[in-house]
Structure formats: C-alpha cells, structure tokens
Amino acid sequence: RKEVEQDPGPFNVPEGATVAFNCTYSNSASQSFFWYRQDCRKEPKLLMSVYSSGNEDGRFTAQLNRASQYISLLIRDSKLSDSATYLCVVNWSGDMRFGAGTRLTVKP
Amino acid sequence: GAVVSQHPSRVICKSGTSVKIECRSLDFQATTMFWYRQFPKQSLMLMATSNEGSKATYEQGVEKDKFLINHASLTLSTLTVTSAHPEDSSFYICSARVYPLAGGNTIYFGEGSWLTVV
C-alpha cells in the first residue's frame, strides 16, 4: 500500500461545478496534513493546511478523518484558474510524503 | 513569508559531466532541506533530506555517490548530479521546512530546476 494515495485523475469539470478530492494515508501516527497545488512545470505551492476540525478558505474546504485516515478537499464554484494538480501531503516525524496528485481541468 | 530560491531554473549538460543545483532560504534559516525529483506526469519523489552540518539522509534507491548533497550553512543546500546521464533528466525541486510561531510545520518549495542531459 502506498503511503499516501489520492483519487486517480483527471477530473474534468465545467466552470461553477463543485469537485471533491480524497486522499488516504497509511501511517496512523501522521501528525499534519496539507493540500498543495502544482501548476504545470512549476513548483508546488501550499494551498492550505488541514486541521482536525476541518477548515475553510474561501471556496476551498478541507476535512480530516483520523479514524479512517483520509483527508479531503472540496472546491466550490470552480474557476478556470483552479486547473492544476492537487497534491495531498502528509507529515510524520518530519518526513513529508506526497500523493501522486490529482489533475483538475476546469472548462468553460 | 518564507521564500526558497533555487538556481539554475534550467540547465542543459552533456552526458558524463556534473551539474550543481543550489537551494537557498532567503529570509529564514533552514536546518533541514529536502530534495525531490519529479518525472513528467509523476509525483514528487523524495530523494534525500539535507541537514545542516551533517550528512544527508538518502531515500532507498537513491545513489548517494551520484547525487551529492551539501548543506554547509543554514541558508544553503546544494545538489550535485555527478556523471549525469540522459535518464537523470528531470525536474529537481528543493524545499525547506519552516516552523511557524503558531506551531506545527510546513514546507516551502524552490522554483525547481529542469535538468536536461544530452
């Protein structure tokens, strides 16, 4: 089993759609969780951290379920500019492990 | 905010030569930096963890004699790809861990370096 697994992509959605990504992790001792966004041929950039109580940042909502060892990212009212690859990142003992990424394309 | 700078952004080298990539933390001290490699349409793969003043910790399957890492100061880590071959052509990215005052930790990435070995 991979350390961090994400939904296989790609996701192709129309503008305005709501899209959700899931990510599961294997190490129950994982301490912190993040979603990163990576545009084509660029470095990943932090989108948001994921907190136990769940957190929201504008159109983006992140949830964490420690019992089931998964995190999710919900994007509402998708914009063309949301097209990117979304990486799930899990930290345990200082090691940051990445999921393979889920590619999102938002179309007009 | 934290900024990590990586140089060069693109490099082309001949097979058999060595190339050095630098990673700098610009406004903070990074005791730990990470080096990743990313092949097209694949995820980031951690190559090694670079600790200031000590030897790097390499992931399984990464040749430490081929990918030399030096972290001589709190703001600079370098990756040298020695005796480069075409299969080493890839996107190399560094990152540095930041410990915010609020607690926890997060990482920030350099802009990445595209290496093409011809």
Side-chain angles (χ1 to χ4, degrees):
Chain A
R1 182 183 174 188
K2 292 182 181 178
E3 294 171 325
V4 181
E5 290 199 71
Q6 290 188 237
D7 281 348
F11 284 61
N12 298 306
V13 303
E15 267 188 293
T18 295
V19 61
F21 304 137
N22 290 324
C23 169
T24 58
Y25 58 94
S26 61
N27 191 332
S28 60
S30 299
Q31 299 159 320
S32 51
F33 311 87
F34 309 90
W35 284 101
Y36 277 74
R37 169 192 170 132
Q38 186 175 24
D39 292 295
C40 188
R41 302 173 78 86
K42 298 277 190 179
E43 77 278 18
K45 293 187 177 178
L46 179 64
L47 179 65
M48 58 196 303
S49 300
V50 186
Y51 302 119
S52 297
S53 55
N55 48 299
E56 187 174 306
D57 183 3
R59 298 181 293 108
F60 299 85
T61 302
Q63 297 279 352
L64 167 63
N65 185 320
R66 284 190 183 272
S68 301
Q69 296 181 204
Y70 82 80
I71 67 174
S72 64
L73 176 68
L74 183 76
I75 305 176
R76 291 183 299 277
D77 188 23
S78 301
K79 311 290 185 189
L80 295 176
S81 58
D82 293 333
S83 297
T85 296
Y86 291 83
L87 302 170
C88 169
V89 183
V90 176
N91 169 50
W92 62 79
S93 300
D95 285 337
M96 308 288 276
R97 299 291 171 167
F98 289 81
T102 301
R103 187 165 186 160
L104 171 66
T105 301
V106 181
K107 299 184 176 182
Chain B
V3 178
V4 176
S5 176
Q6 195 171 332
H7 177 81
S9 58
R10 291 182 180 274
V11 57
I12 300 173
C13 71
K14 291 184 178 180
S15 186
T17 62
S18 296
V19 62
K20 180 185 288 187
I21 301 170
E22 293 186 347
C23 180
R24 293 180 185 274
S25 56
L26 296 185
D27 55 3
F28 66 97
Q29 293 181 331
T31 54
T32 304
M33 291 185 174
F34 305 90
W35 287 96
Y36 303 85
R37 181 168 52 184
Q38 185 176 35
F39 292 108
K41 298 186 179 181
Q42 294 188 24
S43 183
L44 290 166
M45 296 300 297
L46 179 65
M47 298 175 67
T49 301
S50 169
N51 300 296
E52 187 268 338
S54 64
K55 291 182 179 180
T57 303
Y58 289 82
E59 294 297 299
Q60 192 173 10
V62 178
E63 300 174 59
K64 61 181 180 181
D65 294 329
K66 180 172 180 61
F67 299 99
L68 301 178
I69 292 173
N70 183 282
H71 195 156
S73 78
L74 287 171
T75 59
L76 174 64
S77 177
T78 60
L79 167 68
T80 301
V81 183
T82 63
S83 187
H85 289 283
E87 56 264 32
D88 297 325
S89 300
S90 184
F91 187 48
Y92 292 86
I93 313 178
C94 71
S95 70
R97 188 160 61 204
V98 178
Y99 293 91
L101 292 176
N105 67 87
T106 190
I107 58 173
Y108 289 92
F109 288 87
E111 304 95 329
S113 299
W114 286 96
L115 170 63
T116 302
V117 184
V118 298

